[in-house]
Amino acid sequence: MTEAKSVAVIGSLNIDYFTRVESLPAPGETVCSDSLDIFRGGKGANQAIAASRQGSEIIFIGTVGNDEHGKKYLKELAKEGIDTSHIETVKGSTGTAFITVDRSGENMIVISSGANSTLTREQVKAKTKQISSAGAVLGQFEVPLPAIVEGARIANQNEVPVIINPSPVEKTFPWQEIRTDYLLVNEHEAGEVLGFNPWDEELSLVRQRLHELRVENLIVTRGGDDTLVYNRGDEVISIPTLAVLPIDTVGAGDAFAGCFAARIASGEKLEDALAAANCAGALTTLGAGAQNPVPDRERVDQHLEHLSQSS
Ligand code: RIB
């Protein structure tokens, strides 16, 4: 029997302006689109919603602007059952993301950080009690890095698992200052953080690099291919994912991260948490926007059952 514990998410909230084009513009080029959708997004909020739909109680530490977007966002999160009392409202605009997706699903994202850029180390420190009693702490890099470092430091001191999704990658992150229990990256991010592609090198070299970065488990998602885990074990662990025909991949990595955090927080084994996270990520690609298509626990479990019956 597993114990449901909360997930503390330290991260961003954005309003996503989403448009589709035939081909992404080259520098200096203008392209026209006949579509515009406005969704709620931001890696922090997307991951918080994904964890909440897996049944976790969420402690969300973030900031919105005192504009209409910010007010509406808090109401919508509350409807999801997410406690918004740790989200501060500051003067100015809520974060905004401009997302352009081409015919092949390739995307370009520009973020205007707005209120996200005001999250401080002190704000996180003020939540020491909540972080210390959480089942996992989950952070990304769309908010100032000192806030993430502080959350991880508190978690480390209290033996709470730290999950970092270093997106967008920030070269100056002080990895040595904290212990990262689970580092969630896509293939591109893996190369950026390690300085080389782990699948191109001897396992001993990968392990040495993880040791230097104080990372216990490196988890590499690879779209429709198996997710890989590099850790102290003698072999790379490979976890299959669900075969789907994606229509929109924006937010799939966030659904993976949120589901994974929820499952780890409730005490699931690494392999089981990853199988569930793979399903959540894949199912999220079947709808538009980064939050609406995120599946709940029941739906993920149904797919896991089908997978186990067909294997
Ligand atoms: O990962 C997808 C998210 O990245 C979008 O929701 C957008 O807001 C950007 O943060």
Side-chain angles (χ1 to χ4, degrees), residues 1-3 161 163 182 217 219 229 231 237 239 256 259-278 297 304:
M1 189 65 183
T2 56
E3 188 193 350
I163 307 172
Y182 304 98
N217 294 277
I219 295 167
V229 185
N231 57 21
I237 303 168
I239 309 286
F256 176 95
C259 176
F260 178 74
R263 301 277 177 151
I264 289 292
S266 65
E268 280 192 21
K269 283 199 334 218
L270 176 62
E271 283 85 346
D272 295 341
L274 286 171
N278 277 346
R297 191 174 190 108
L304 285 173

Side-chain angles (χ1 to χ4, degrees), residues 14 16 41-43 46 97 99 109 111 142 250-251 254 290:
N14 292 332
D16 291 351
K43 293 187 196 302
N46 298 345
I99 303 176
I109 305 182
I111 293 169
E142 285 185 346
V250 174
D254 296 334

Side-chain angles (χ1 to χ4, degrees), residues 99-144:
I99 303 176
T100 308
V101 180
D102 76 6
R103 191 169 18 112
S104 71
E106 193 63 58
N107 65 54
M108 257 171 53
I109 305 182
V110 176
I111 293 169
S112 171
S113 297
N116 295 311
S117 67
T118 69
L119 185 67
T120 62
R121 184 184 277 266
E122 290 66 37
Q123 268 168 268
V124 176
K125 197 169 185 181
K127 306 298 170 188
T128 297
K129 191 168 143 237
Q130 290 81 358
I131 294 172
S132 309
S133 59
V137 168
L138 174 60
Q140 327 73 30
F141 287 0
E142 285 185 346
V143 292

Side-chain angles (χ1 to χ4, degrees), residues 54 263 268 276 296-306:
Q54 293 300 307
R263 301 277 177 151
E268 280 192 21
D296 62 12
R297 191 174 190 108
E298 200 183 336
R299 190 147 167 249
V300 169
D301 286 344
Q302 278 166 3
H303 282 272
L304 285 173
E305 208 172 305
H306 281 143

Side-chain angles (χ1 to χ4, degrees), residues 219-259:
I219 295 167
V220 187
T221 56
R222 302 185 306 150
D225 293 327
D226 290 9
T227 295
L228 303 179
V229 185
Y230 298 82
N231 57 21
R232 289 186 196 177
D234 290 331
E235 283 177 9
V236 180
I237 303 168
S238 187
I239 309 286
T241 190
L242 207 59
V244 290
L245 285 175
I247 64 158
D248 171 9
T249 60
V250 174
D254 296 334
F256 176 95
C259 176

Side-chain angles (χ1 to χ4, degrees), residues 59-130:
I59 297 147
F60 191 169
I61 305 169
T63 30
V64 290
N66 62 349
D67 51 4
E68 281 311 308
H69 285 311
K71 286 178 203 150
K72 182 122 193 284
Y73 212 140
L74 295 184
K75 280 190 193 144
E76 294 299 328
L77 285 176
K79 279 190 208 160
E80 279 278 341
I82 293 181
D83 175 5
T84 58
S85 64
H86 309 294
I87 302 176
E88 287 201 16
T89 299
V90 297
K91 199 162 172 250
S93 322
T94 297
T96 309
F98 302 93
I99 303 176
T100 308
V101 180
D102 76 6
R103 191 169 18 112
S104 71
E106 193 63 58
N107 65 54
M108 257 171 53
I109 305 182
V110 176
I111 293 169
S112 171
S113 297
N116 295 311
S117 67
T118 69
L119 185 67
T120 62
R121 184 184 277 266
E122 290 66 37
Q123 268 168 268
V124 176
K125 197 169 185 181
K127 306 298 170 188
T128 297
K129 191 168 143 237
Q130 290 81 358

